Amino acid sequence: METINILYNIVAVVFAALIAFTLTPPTRVLAFKIGAVDVPLDNRRMHTKPIPRIGGLAIFLSFWISTMLFCSLTPELASIWVGGGILVILGVLDDIYRLKPGLKFVVQLLAAVFAVVNGCVIDHINIGGEYIMLGVFSYPLTLLWIVGLTNAINFIDGLDGLACGVSLISSISLFCVLLLQGDSEFAVITAILAGACLGFLPFNSNPARIFMGDTGALFLGYALAVISVQGVFKLHAVLSFIAPLMVFAFPILDTFFAIFRRLLAGKSPFAPDRGHLHHRLVDMGFTQKESVNILYAICGILGLVAVFCTESMFANGRAIRSFCVAGIALLIFLVNFVVMKNPDTRKHSGLTEDDVTVEEYLRIKEAERAKRIAKKQESGKNDAVTEQNDEKE
């Protein structure tokens, strides 16, 4: 039976990926037809040519078709279909006409209210085995989580493949947590969401041929938020509330600092700027691909922490082992970050496409040889001076 469930999940992922992959080209054609194209007219843009931006439509249709075939209709899934569909329509209109932030926020709030009405509520958290009931605070907290995460995924959508890849990694992390806790129903839904992202990513990776735009970012953020509330926050695990916080730590923190930065500068929280972490990495000298890979690694490490905090992992000394694994992963990541930050060692790492040429390698070896010769000569002069001093004495 377990083998059949695993095969079922694999088939669902492959199906969703193929649907998203095959729907993306016609979606790209549609984007040009309706004028949903991102034209780079300011210094925030990382691309130099017009790129269509309603790719999220392919992701949503892939998710909808796949869940309709592989999942049972539940109030939670209906919330993702309806609320996500509303946000997809909002995203398409915004990708064409650039709607006002206030209107977008109201629609996002309505979609979140629809999910809450359908039973998607964070009514308690579990800390150390003690259940803390949230009471009247459960509804505003749930709305804040859904709307906040919806915007968080949208805010990080600034580099080719970043938001889609982060959503894919987050979906995989949630899938592992749900599978370890025996929640096969939401595990399939999460696997399908991951498959939809996977099928779209080849078209969205640098150099991107299509952006998912607000159409995809808002849907993915909303879907992940609803899944995390129903499938993770409500787990009977001692550290259940840590899992979603770790899975989404990068987009949440990046959004928090973006809002704080903008308010401090006297700007609207929704005013775009070039202060996001992905912008800072590019400004440090990393390419788009390198910056995205670094942020993928961060999300992967945080996802591991979430998985290791489940009660099915490391029964004895779970907390200590979990943090040890996370610490090892973080240390390896920091070593690679130092290597990648230095232009002289970046080409040697194998993590970039720009490898060392024959001329560069010979130039480096010649420079090293010259240094050795100079060092020997300097050492010889010092020895000669020392001998002269000894003779004088």
Side-chain angles (χ1 to χ4, degrees), residues 19 22 72 81 99 159 173 195 244 249 254 272 285 290 299 344 390:
I19 293 295
T22 53
S72 302
W81 282 359
L99 304 177
L159 295 181
S173 300
D254 188 69
E290 292 163 359
C299 291
D344 294 332
D390 290 342

Side-chain angles (χ1 to χ4, degrees), residues 165-237:
V166 168
S167 298
L168 171 60
I169 294 170
S170 299
S171 298
I172 293 172
S173 300
L174 287 178
F175 172 76
C176 292
V177 171
L178 291 166
L179 210 59
L180 288 170
Q181 295 299 322
D183 191 342
S184 57
E185 179 182 334
F186 272 97
V188 176
I189 295 174
T190 311
I192 288 172
L193 189 65
C197 294
L198 184 64
F200 177 73
L201 196 56
F203 293 94
N204 190 227
S205 298
N206 185 265
R209 285 164 282 175
I210 186 171
F211 297 149
M212 64 180 184
D214 283 14
T215 307
L218 294 178
F219 166 69
L220 287 174
Y222 179 83
L224 288 168
V226 173
I227 291 171
S228 63
V229 170
Q230 288 299 107
V232 182
F233 269 111
K234 294 186 177 183
L235 289 176
H236 299 290

Side-chain angles (χ1 to χ4, degrees), residues 159-379:
L159 295 181
D160 295 350
L162 179 57
C164 185
V166 168
S167 298
L168 171 60
I169 294 170
S170 299
S171 298
I172 293 172
S173 300
L174 287 178
F175 172 76
C176 292
V177 171
L178 291 166
L179 210 59
L180 288 170
Q181 295 299 322
D183 191 342
S184 57
E185 179 182 334
F186 272 97
V188 176
I189 295 174
T190 311
I192 288 172
L193 189 65
C197 294
L198 184 64
F200 177 73
L201 196 56
F203 293 94
N204 190 227
S205 298
N206 185 265
R209 285 164 282 175
I210 186 171
F211 297 149
M212 64 180 184
D214 283 14
T215 307
L218 294 178
F219 166 69
L220 287 174
Y222 179 83
L224 288 168
V226 173
I227 291 171
S228 63
V229 170
Q230 288 299 107
V232 182
F233 269 111
K234 294 186 177 183
L235 289 176
H236 299 290
V238 176
L239 299 173
S240 61
F241 76 100
I242 292 181
L245 293 179
M246 288 295 101
V247 169
F248 304 116
F250 160 57
I252 289 173
L253 290 176
D254 188 69
T255 300
F256 173 80
F257 286 117
I259 293 173
F260 181 75
R261 181 177 64 249
R262 291 165 187 174
L263 291 176
L264 203 62
K267 299 179 180 179
S268 166
F270 298 101
D273 62 15
R274 196 185 163 82
H276 291 283
L277 181 56
H278 53 267
H279 289 134
R280 295 183 181 275
L281 288 172
V282 172
D283 292 341
M284 288 172 62
F286 293 102
T287 65
Q288 278 205 57
K289 284 185 178 180
E290 292 163 359
S291 301
V292 168
N293 288 336
I294 288 171
L295 296 175
Y296 282 175
I298 292 175
C299 291
I301 291 171
L302 294 171
L304 282 176
V305 175
V307 173
F308 293 142
C309 283
T310 59
E311 292 190 341
S312 299
M313 293 290 290
F314 301 140
N316 297 320
R318 180 175 63 256
I320 296 176
R321 296 190 186 191
S322 299
F323 284 112
C324 283
V325 172
I328 293 169
L330 181 61
L331 180 61
I332 295 173
F333 167 77
L334 290 175
V335 171
N336 279 283
F337 180 82
V338 172
V339 169
M340 292 294 292
K341 187 178 178 181
N342 187 339
D344 294 332
T345 57
R346 189 181 304 173
K347 291 183 178 181
H348 298 167
S349 66
L351 297 173
T352 66
E353 295 180 359
D354 187 17
D355 212 342
V356 179
T357 64
V358 174
E359 293 77 10
E360 287 174 333
Y361 180 75
L362 293 177
R363 196 182 309 122
I364 292 171
K365 300 306 291 183
E366 184 61 31
E368 291 176 352
R369 181 172 173 275
K371 284 182 181 179
R372 287 197 299 269
I373 293 173
K375 189 175 181 180
K376 286 182 180 179
Q377 291 176 345
E378 185 65 27
S379 177

